[in-house]
Amino acid sequence: KQEVTQIPAALSVPEGENLVLNCSFTDSAIYNLQWFRQDPGKGLTSLLLIQSSQREQTSGRLNASLDKSSGRSTLYIAASQPGDSATYLCAVGGSGGGADGLTFGKGTHLIIQP
Amino acid sequence: KAGVTQTPRYLIKTRGQQVTLSCSPISGHRSVSWYQQTPGQGLQFLFEYFSETQRNKGNFPGRFSGRQFSNSRSEMNVSTLELGDSALYLCASSLAIVGESTDTQYFGPGTRLTVL
């Protein structure tokens, strides 16, 4: 059974810092990996999707990497802003035709101090 | 293009009752997935529907069921509610079946269910 772990569970940094969020998964047979953000009381917003054949994806100040063999992904946020404050969730799609849907980590609660 | 909509947004029920939640996917999306989010367990996959057929199912008891209509709208039903069913229920839509395409899933705002 796939398990996804996110470290740290919470992070508070001053505005302007670059930061890294970590995600690890136990079964390397994944189809893709996604990073989402969730704002309080709201649904999830997709940030980046990395296919299993890719190593990284970039969108603006965000960069996500994937090392399937070691079961790890990182989300790099450059020049953090208060608007980046949210919970960041990592999710993997299994290669078994989606039988388990997406498997999510429990998230990293990020606070950017103005 | 309108996003994924879920109704109702908030719901309060008592133990033993049943509840039906509704999800309207993005226009043109044929896959609808349901997830349960709780503080203790995080986000857990319930089931996925594609073209009115349940394609995948998570590890939840039979009290949790769903269906999808010809217009891709989906409903989720929970019977004989328990206190532990209190959660945020999220619906997500995509063009194709999860795990069989490069498309991402788009999530709705969720329905907050409280069971007293």
Side-chain angles (χ1 to χ4, degrees):
Chain A
K1 178 189 170 187
Q2 179 75 270
E3 291 184 4
V4 179
T5 303
Q6 291 187 246
I7 295 174
L11 184 62
S12 180
V13 300
E15 179 179 4
E17 282 200 7
N18 302 324
L19 53 98
V20 174
L21 308 182
N22 297 290
C23 171
S24 62
F25 46 94
T26 54
D27 186 348
S28 61
I30 65 170
Y31 189 82
N32 58 33
L33 182 144
Q34 297 184 63
W35 284 93
F36 294 87
R37 70 174 278 170
Q38 184 174 30
D39 294 282
K42 297 189 178 180
L44 278 62
T45 301
S46 179
L47 298 172
L48 291 165
L49 183 152
I50 311 176
Q51 298 299 327
S52 61
S53 58
Q54 297 175 320
R55 296 282 296 184
E56 67 177 339
Q57 282 286 344
T58 298
S59 176
R61 295 181 293 107
L62 306 178
N63 175 276
S65 67
L66 173 64
D67 184 342
K68 213 173 68 160
S69 61
S70 68
R72 295 183 180 187
S73 175
T74 61
L75 178 66
Y76 175 83
I77 303 176
S80 58
Q81 303 170 358
D84 295 331
S85 298
T87 296
Y88 289 80
L89 294 155
C90 168
V92 298
S95 61
D100 296 324
L102 293 178
T103 302
F104 283 83
K106 293 195 175 180
T108 294
H109 182 54
L110 176 64
I111 296 174
I112 307 298
Q113 306 154 12
Chain B
K1 185 187 264 191
V4 178
T5 58
Q6 292 186 245
T7 56
R9 291 294 312 279
Y10 302 91
L11 207 48
I12 299 175
K13 292 286 188 178
T14 56
R15 279 182 300 174
Q17 288 187 309
Q18 75 166 19
V19 66
T20 299
L21 312 181
S22 180
C23 171
S24 293
I26 291 172
S27 178
H29 285 192
R30 296 168 64 189
S31 168
V32 173
S33 298
W34 289 88
Y35 293 84
Q36 180 196 66
Q37 186 176 30
T38 60
Q41 298 298 317
L43 268 155
Q44 293 182 289
F45 171 70
L46 279 157
F47 31 65
E48 178 185 13
Y49 284 85
F50 183 85
S51 294
E52 303 178 63
T53 301
Q54 187 179 90
R55 295 303 179 113
N56 299 300
K57 189 177 191 303
N59 188 26
F60 277 81
R63 300 186 297 107
F64 292 82
S65 63
R67 59 178 176 170
Q68 187 179 34
F69 302 95
S70 58
N71 62 357
S72 294
R73 189 177 70 85
S74 177
E75 288 183 346
M76 190 192 89
N77 184 274
V78 187
S79 63
T80 319
L81 284 166
E82 301 177 359
L83 294 178
D85 296 334
S86 294
L88 179 67
Y89 290 88
L90 292 163
C91 157
S93 77
S94 59
L95 285 169
I97 296 172
V98 174
E100 296 185 6
S101 78
T102 60
D103 190 41
T104 189
Q105 288 187 300
Y106 296 85
F107 281 76
T111 293
R112 173 75 62 184
L113 172 64
T114 301
V115 182
L116 303 176

